[in-house]
Amino acid sequence: MTMEFMDELGLSAFICGEYYPSIVSGAKTLLGQGAQHDCTSPIDGTKTARFQLATPEQLNAQTERACAAFKIWRNTPAPVRGQFVRRIGELARQYKTQLAQVITLEAGKILPEALGEVQEWIDVCDFAVGLSRQLHGLTIASERPGHRMMEQWHPLGPVAVISAYNFPMAVWSWNAMLGLVCGDTIVWKPSEKSPLCALAIQTIVNRALDEMPDVPKDIVSVIIGGGEIGKAMSQDQRYPLVSATGSTRMGKSVGEAVGARLGRSLLELGGNNAMIISEHADLDLALRAIVFAAVGTAGQRCTSLRRVIVHHSVKQALCEKLVQAYQSLRIGDPRSEHILVGPLIDEMSYATMQAALTDAKQQGGTVLIGGERVTEKVPEGGFYVTPSIVDIAANAAIVQQETFAPILYVMSYENIEQAIDIQNDVPQGLSSAIFTENLKEAELFLSPSGSDCGLANVNIGTSGAEIGGAFGGEKETGGGRESGSDAWKNYMRRSTNTINYGGELPLAQGIVFE
């Protein structure tokens, strides 16, 4: 595969012999001192990079540098911090295509989706720049005469970011861009499956740092390491916040470690997302939403559609439309035009998909289409599959699990209350949707008796959330919120202040102590 975009981003300059650096900031570039790690592309299985992973000792040194940078950055006016983020966004715009090509190389996303992910980073930069002038608290009425009460929001400290491979740039940007304007420094452990995406981002950040010499060089850094690095970050009290995106199993480990030291964790974990299709739905509109949500990114999104809960009266018609649509899907090299479904990330993902389909059939499910490995007209060495639809009972054990692959379970319901119960009866609670033209059904779905997910949509799919709203979910999804709305408060500490400008010292609640 041609790799000109690597040169254009400056990534080739990072190569030292055959190894890429494992620790990079604006101040330092260091090779790791740990185990060797080879990276391969899901497109065709070819090797893309070789690392020696960083060690906990190297993480400790980088954490010290991030702490020192924080003491400077926290006193930089927030609008000035915003100007730094603005420049990062401008450079991301300039190199949008090259950045997207790195995502396609490492995550296997089709190029339009990869371009959309880089655009999400750019949009978050715009959001954060505006936010840099709106980090405001409240003035609160005091019960004591001659007193004023208010709250302020102050920078929190170095933030540890642990991210997954499937959104190797966007998730970092939700945390880093907001954290930076809030006055924090960022130390990022990306997935070992997508380290070049992290280095590509760091080259952009480093260029912005070079243009703004007053900005401390270690405010943003990348450390390529294994599970021991994530564990060390979670246990280190110098990180007041650990933001982790990935599996529920990983999130529980991080949450326990951070909680043991009474730190903060922001967890974005698994999603087992459902869409209710009412008998009052526009089926053609629902069909388009289902297909993109279920097969986009080859089903490897936390917001991918896993379950369709359809009214029994329209189930057969919907299933026929879905099978027909799936038969037309173009599967292949994600770098090629007109391809809609690229590869799974690796062989393990393929094996997990096959195991889930076997379990579904053993539990009474019927595979309507898909599930096979594609070997013709695709690059050798990649794991390409036909997205699958399984007709199954709502109480089957397999539908309680999130399989990170393009498997869509279809089940029926009798009334809207039952449909909502089926949707909510899983451990996860990230994204949800209903398709209906019935106002009462839509409002019930959004009410306290409706969806228990962090994202609840009407006549729109489960994936493709905009950056302006807070993103995250409930239950085993972790409860975290990132990106829009007031998610910025995660990255700051609140200080309630009372000022006595009078000549007396009355106590609150009318207490007399003389």
Side-chain angles (χ1 to χ4, degrees), residues 101-158:
Q101 288 173 307
V102 183
I103 294 174
T104 296
L105 174 70
E106 281 203 311
K109 285 188 178 182
I110 62 172
L111 191 57
E113 286 193 80
L115 288 165
E117 180 171 349
V118 180
Q119 186 61 49
E120 188 167 341
W121 170 16
I122 294 166
D123 292 344
V124 170
C125 287
D126 290 345
F127 179 86
V129 171
L131 180 64
S132 69
R133 295 181 181 272
Q134 299 183 69
L135 301 174
H136 49 72
L138 301 172
T139 298
I140 305 165
S142 173
E143 67 183 66
R144 291 172 284 187
H147 286 60
R148 180 169 64 86
M149 186 161 53
M150 68 178 187
E151 67 177 21
Q152 296 186 82
W153 293 88
H154 294 305
L156 184 61

Side-chain angles (χ1 to χ4, degrees), residues 394-411:
N395 62 357
I398 191 65
V399 303
Q400 295 285 312
Q401 304 172 18
E402 178 194 35
T403 301
F404 224 57
I407 301 176
L408 181 65
Y409 299 112
V410 179
M411 56 207 72

Side-chain angles (χ1 to χ4, degrees), residues 248 267-272 427-430 472-480:
T248 297
L267 303 177
E268 296 286 0
L269 311 175
N272 189 359
Q428 309 85 358
L430 178 52
E474 302 300 326
K475 301 187 290 188
E476 287 191 358
T477 302

